[in-house]
């Protein structure tokens, strides 16, 4: 399957198909981009009103292309190719993040995130307490799923 390109025209079509605003991208609050074969997130500069993005089951490797979305509250990126969460703290309004079934070894990119309350990160490649240490500095984190990671250190569960 060829990768789906995130052109402005393709995004407008997605908005139309999901009862969104094709000619006023800033008015869309949800964007459904799951299962598109997306390798790189692009052309979202005009979508400043987004509160939720569904990007599951793609091949995205990094959060670049999303970091300007200051109103984004929910980001669903399970089953991608993420290696880390660099820049995640710039998503200041983010409260829920699903990055399950990726290739993440460390959650360092969340260090100091002030608003994150829910983090779903099962099925990644986190092996040590160092990979989750940054979560100590996420004061509102209340729900956390790290199951099926390969944490070998007993201190990870203490």
């Amino acid at each position: 399957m060829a990768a789906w390109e995130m052109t402005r025209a393709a995004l407008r079509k997605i908005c139309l198909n999901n009862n969104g605003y094709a000619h006023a991208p800033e008015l869309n609050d949800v964007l459904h981009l799951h299962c598109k074969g997306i390798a790189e997130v692009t052309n979202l500069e005009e979508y400043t009103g987004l509160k939720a993005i569904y990007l599951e089951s793609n091949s995205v490797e990094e959060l670049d292309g999303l970091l300007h979305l200051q109103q984004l509250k929910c980001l669903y990126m399970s089953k991608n190719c993420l290696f880390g969460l660099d820049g995640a703290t710039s998503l200041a309004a983010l409260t829920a993040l699903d990055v399950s079934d990726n290739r993440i070894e460390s959650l360092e990119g969340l260090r100091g995130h002030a608003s994150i309350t829910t983090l779903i990160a099962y099925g990644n490649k986190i092996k040590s307490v160092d990979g989750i240490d940054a979560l100590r500095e996420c004061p509102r984190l209340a729900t956390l799923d790290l199951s099926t990671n390969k944490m070998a250190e007993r201190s990870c569960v203490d």
Side-chain angles (χ1 to χ4, degrees), residues 69-74 88-97 110-119 135 137-143:
L69 300 172
Q70 292 304 303
Q71 295 184 42
L72 192 66
K73 291 183 176 287
C74 302
T89 54
S90 68
L91 297 169
L94 193 67
T95 58
L97 177 61
L110 290 172
R111 184 174 298 278
H113 199 293
S115 60
I116 193 92
T117 60
T118 302
L119 175 61
L135 300 181
E137 296 180 33
C138 297
R140 294 195 174 140
L141 187 62
T143 305

Side-chain angles (χ1 to χ4, degrees), residues 22-92:
H23 297 293
E26 69 279 3
L27 297 179
N28 291 288
D29 57 357
V30 177
L31 202 51
H32 297 273
L33 299 172
H34 50 284
C35 303
K36 299 284 185 205
I38 298 168
E40 182 180 4
V41 178
T42 59
N43 292 313
L44 291 178
E45 293 80 13
E46 297 177 290
Y47 291 79
T48 56
L50 286 175
K51 295 192 177 33
I53 299 181
Y54 295 86
L55 272 162
E56 302 102 323
S57 299
N58 284 291
S59 56
V60 178
E61 293 182 4
E62 54 191 24
L63 297 179
D64 290 352
L66 298 167
L67 302 178
H68 69 283
L69 300 172
Q70 292 304 303
Q71 295 184 42
L72 192 66
K73 291 183 176 287
C74 302
L75 178 56
Y76 304 99
M77 293 195 70
S78 65
K79 298 180 181 169
N80 273 280
C81 299
L82 292 172
F83 290 96
L85 298 174
D86 294 343
T89 54
S90 68
L91 297 169

